[in-house]
Amino acid sequence: MRSLLGFALSAISSHRLRSLLSVLGIAIGIGSVVLLTSIGEGTRRYILEQSTQFGTNLVSINPGKAETVGIPGILGGTTHKLTLDDAAAIARLSNVERVVPIAFGQARVQAGELGRSVFIYGVTPDIPDVWRFHVRQGGFWPHGDPSRAQAMAVLGPKLKRELFGNTNALGQFVRIGGARFRVVGVMEPKGQFLGFDIDDSAYIPVASAMRIFNRDEVNEIQFVYRQSALVDTVVEQVSRVLIDRHGGNEDFTVTTQEAMLEVMGDVMNIITVAVGAIAGISLLVGAIGILTMMWIAVGERTSEIGLIRAIGASRRQVQAVFLVEAAALATGGGAIGLAGAMALLALIRTAVPDLPTHTPTIFVVLALGVSFATGIFSGVVPAARASNLDPIEALRSE
Amino acid sequence: MIGLENVCRSFAVGDSEVRALVDVNEQIENGEHVAIMGPSGSGKSTLLNILGCLDQPTSGTYLLDGREVSGLDEAELTEVRRNRIGFVFQFFHLVSRLTALENVELPMVFAGTAPPERRARALKAIEHVGLNDRADHRPDQLSGGERQRVALARATVMGPGLLLADEPTGNLDSKSGTQVLDLLDRLNENGLTLVVVTHDPAVARRADRALVMTDGRIVRRLRGKELESIQGIGPGIAPGTTDVTSVST
């Protein structure tokens, strides 16, 4: 078989330029698909990494129910908001480790002459444990009744740097939404979350935030459940507590990390289907290129086919020669495309370091496998033509 | 040994039927050197194709070494061509992208011979035709005579019992033609059965006997003196003592 392969390959190497041109279609097809999927996979990993940096046993509850039909207050009864008392009730569940009611909004933070409009999170001192980040300097205000508005703030590292530069911010005062807060802590850098700069924000007691933003409910309740507990059990327990408290209505939405990742998976699947369609079209074009080339090759080598039949090549072997040739062409084209995509990805990584890319080994294997299959597919008809030639007729053509 | 009994071969051309071979009966012994002569369209090539298992008789039987090959299927015929028969053509039929040595290796490639043995046997066959110094040349770097000698090496490398040559010198000058014919004679002396289709009386005279064909039939069998005095066959031949084209059944 090694020698039959060698014979098939000799035809390709004797027409280098022509072979190269005929596999251009498949090279471009495979190359662009590898490029797109590598960027897609890089993005997926990036988002996954970003989401799980907060921990995988984090659950958030938002007011309102996506599936609710009807107008609240008229047909659907009263719509309850999420309150601090709801958070306290959830905290009493044994499977729940920590609960943070969150009220957030945008507000101006002023320190002397300098001011900066940033995101303000009204939280409790449990937030570092829930979001898995740490205080670099100072600390949060003391634990206590979350409904008590205290005039203390913790600044994100970037906000602190913008307002205070390198001087010590602890004990300094800032004005947030018109109220005076004493800086008690500075967070350590956490970086961006989906392009949103967490470091450029301030944390104040939830009751204070509700007062600044003039509301009597929270935007969101987040909690962390015990690692030993099952997520479905916890969600069910929490839902029951809230439904009881809300007069039998499920007027809130519980989102687990898993569910969020699932949604992201759906988006990625759509991208995958789109890339798959591109792949299909380009492979079809590539296959036609190889089919054409092989069809011409059979015509050109008719007398050679007659000869090898006369000296003892079976129909099957003639077929194999042309199938191998088509498969080798296509796989070679795929390899060229793959190499091109890799080179382009390397270029992208140096030119645009922010664009996440990743090429798993399975992509490489798949690209070559699909190229090979395409070659076999496009070689079938020319190979059949070659093997069905009458050797006498074939020998006569010169 | 070759035995042909009532071999007929006809082709359908449009509505009519062309009878290329009509009731051919012939015995060729092992080690014989037989020439087949006759004008174009007389059925020489069809006969050669049937002898070479490239074609099948429409009726009649063909025995090769006592085995009836007229009933064999495609795969079995391939097997017979591979191991028992060597072909030499007027236009050499070398694969232009392969070297002389690789061309000689080709039959063994399809026979599945292991590469080291293949190479050794091909080198030996190339040496036999006196072209060891040209083994790495491609056909376009070889003269016509050298090409035909490479083809001869390829035809004999599998050690066949029967060599079929179709106008082996038809495309060669007389000097290289003589070289090729000398090689064929030497192979024949070593026991190879040789069947040569030719127009050339000089080629035919080297054979033990000649079969003269007309209209799909063997019309004369020449040996000895008759063969010695043969002058020419086919169109444009010089009139001689035995003008075979005028012979009829």
Side-chain angles (χ1 to χ4, degrees), chain A residues 220-348:
Chain A
E220 194 171 353
I221 296 172
Q222 293 193 355
F223 69 88
V224 175
Y225 57 88
R226 294 189 195 286
Q227 290 290 3
S228 57
L230 286 169
V231 62
D232 291 341
T233 316
V234 177
V235 168
E236 203 198 302
Q237 288 170 342
V238 168
S239 297
R240 210 180 307 128
V241 166
L242 286 182
I243 289 170
D244 274 356
R245 292 182 51 81
H246 291 194
N249 291 329
E250 191 176 343
D251 51 4
F252 54 88
T253 306
V254 181
T255 313
T256 60
Q257 280 283 337
E258 275 174 37
M260 266 165 70
L261 293 180
E262 232 164 72
V263 169
M264 198 182 69
D266 289 347
V267 173
M268 291 315 289
N269 284 345
I270 292 169
I271 295 172
T272 307
V273 168
V275 171
I278 298 170
I281 292 168
S282 53
L283 283 179
L284 189 69
V285 173
I288 290 170
I290 288 174
L291 174 70
T292 311
M293 157 79 183
M294 291 309 297
W295 188 264
I296 293 169
V298 171
E300 282 177 347
R301 277 152 56 194
T302 300
S303 88
E304 176 188 315
I305 294 163
L307 169 83
I308 63 173
R309 296 275 280 124
I311 64 173
S314 64
R315 274 199 180 155
R316 210 168 261 282
Q317 284 176 321
V318 171
Q319 204 173 1
V321 164
F322 284 91
L323 275 182
V324 163
E325 197 175 319
L329 268 177
T331 312
I336 291 170
L338 193 63
M342 291 304 201
L344 223 57
L345 283 170
L347 203 69
I348 286 173

Side-chain angles (χ1 to χ4, degrees), chain A residues 43 51 64 82 116 134 140 149 155 175 221 330 332 383:
Chain A
T43 310
S51 321
L82 294 174
R116 193 170 174 79
H134 304 284
F140 270 77
L155 304 183
R175 292 192 80 86
I221 296 172

Side-chain angles (χ1 to χ4, degrees), chain B residues 190-202:
Chain B
N190 290 334
L192 187 68
T193 310
L194 197 58
V195 177
V196 182
V197 165
T198 185
H199 274 114
D200 186 347

Side-chain angles (χ1 to χ4, degrees), chain A residues 19-20 23-24 26-28 30-31 329-342 368:
Chain A
S19 302
L20 189 70
V23 301
L24 220 53
I26 213 156
I28 291 172
I30 289 286
L329 268 177
T331 312
I336 291 170
L338 193 63
M342 291 304 201
L368 292 177

